[in-house]
Amino acid sequence: MENLERYKHLNKYLKDKFGERTLKICIDGGFSCPNRDGSISNGGCIFCSERGSGDHIKFCSNSHTIENFISDQVKNYFTTYKAERANKFIAYFQNFTNTYDSISNLKLKYDSALIDNRIVALAVATRPDCINEDICKLLKSYCDKYYVWVELGLQTSNDETGKLINRGYSSQQFSKAVDLLNKYNIDVVTHIMVGLPNESFYDIKNTVDFINMHNI
C-alpha cells in the first residue's frame, strides 16, 4: 500500500515548482516590530528571540547603509558551502516584521537582496496586522520575475492564547491579511505552534480547521 503523507513538505513543493532543489537565504533586513517598539508592546511575543528568530544569521558587513548590509549577507551566503547544495535560491526576509517600514524603504531592502540571477523567489515573514493594500501592490510588482510568498504568523486561532503569548493581533486580523494577499494572488505560508500554554488537542484541531477555512 502506498504510504500517503498527511502534509506537504516545503522542500518537495519547491522542487516540484522549480524543477530542482531550491534553498532559502535567510536575511536580516534591519526591521523592527510593532510588538517591540512600543506601538503595540515592548516585550514582543513570548516565543520570539532577541534577534527576531534569525539567531543563526551571520553578518560580514561593517557597512553603514542598509542596502549594503543586506546585499553583503547575500554575497556572503554565496561564498559558503551552502550555496554549493543548489542552483536556485530564495531571498527570505526572516527577522522581526519584514513589512514594517515605509514603502520606499521596503522596496530598497527587497531590491538589495535580489542581486543574483540564481535567486528565483522572494519570501517575506511578517505579522497579519502589518499587511495593507500598498504593501500588497509592492509585493505584486516582483511577481513578474520572482515567485513571491508571505509568511504569516498565526500560532493559534485561540485569541485567549494569543493574549497569553503577547501576540498582539487577533485571528480576525489574520483572516483580513490573507484575504488581501489573495486579492493580489500572493501565496501565503502560515506558522502555527503546537503545545502552547493551556492548549489542548482540540485547540490545535481548531487552529488547523481555522486555517483550512482560508485560501492558503
Side-chain angles (χ1 to χ4, degrees):
M1 181 181 294
E2 184 181 358
N3 183 21
L4 297 177
E5 294 184 337
R6 300 184 68 179
Y7 63 92
K8 294 180 180 179
H9 294 268
L10 179 61
N11 286 343
K12 185 179 185 305
Y13 172 80
L14 293 173
K15 187 173 182 180
D16 290 344
K17 185 170 187 65
F18 294 110
E20 59 184 287
R21 187 180 195 185
T22 307
L23 299 180
K24 282 183 174 180
I25 305 172
C26 297
I27 298 168
D28 183 339
F31 288 93
S32 181
C33 178
N35 208 17
R36 285 178 178 264
D37 68 4
S39 297
I40 294 175
S41 171
N42 292 302
C45 302
I46 64 170
F47 53 82
C48 191
S49 73
E50 287 303 310
R51 286 184 54 189
S53 78
D55 299 84
H56 62 287
I57 297 175
K58 296 181 180 180
F59 304 111
C60 61
S61 174
N62 294 318
S63 173
H64 295 295
T65 65
I66 188 62
E67 55 264 43
N68 286 344
F69 175 69
I70 292 171
S71 61
D72 283 352
Q73 291 177 62
V74 177
K75 292 175 184 176
N76 181 60
Y77 179 92
F78 283 119
T79 67
T80 68
Y81 77 93
K82 297 177 183 178
E84 299 175 1
R85 298 165 57 214
N87 298 308
K88 295 180 180 179
F89 300 88
I90 301 151
Y92 174 45
F93 283 83
Q94 181 177 18
N95 296 54
F96 296 115
T97 304
N98 295 273
T99 57
Y100 187 50
D101 209 334
S102 67
I103 295 299
S104 59
N105 282 345
L106 290 176
K107 186 175 188 327
L108 174 68
K109 292 179 177 183
Y110 299 156
D111 288 351
S112 297
L114 301 171
I115 58 172
D116 192 287
N117 290 333
R118 289 169 287 183
I119 296 174
V120 296
L122 171 65
V124 177
T126 190
R127 296 164 54 91
D129 55 347
C130 290
I131 292 291
N132 60 40
E133 196 97 25
D134 288 338
I135 289 169
C136 288
K137 289 178 180 178
L138 174 62
L139 292 170
K140 184 65 176 179
S141 71
Y142 290 96
C143 290
D144 286 342
K145 186 174 182 181
Y146 303 98
Y147 174 48
V148 177
W149 81 78
V150 170
E151 299 198 3
L152 292 179
L154 173 64
Q155 322 316 345
T156 176
S157 63
N158 186 327
D159 284 341
E160 289 305 310
T161 305
K163 293 176 183 177
L164 181 64
I165 63 177
N166 200 39
R167 186 177 62 181
Y169 54 82
S170 67
S171 298
Q172 183 179 9
Q173 286 172 292
F174 172 87
S175 296
K176 182 178 179 181
V178 171
D179 288 344
L180 194 52
L181 290 162
N182 285 341
K183 175 182 174 181
Y184 287 88
N185 294 315
I186 298 170
D187 283 347
V188 178
V189 172
T190 304
H191 295 183
I192 67 172
M193 288 186 168
V194 175
L196 288 170
N198 300 333
E199 289 214 332
S200 67
F201 168 81
Y202 295 101
D203 290 300
I204 299 167
K205 181 179 182 300
N206 288 339
T207 294
V208 173
D209 290 341
F210 176 79
I211 291 172
N212 288 336
M213 292 168 53
H214 298 76
N215 183 19
I216 294 176

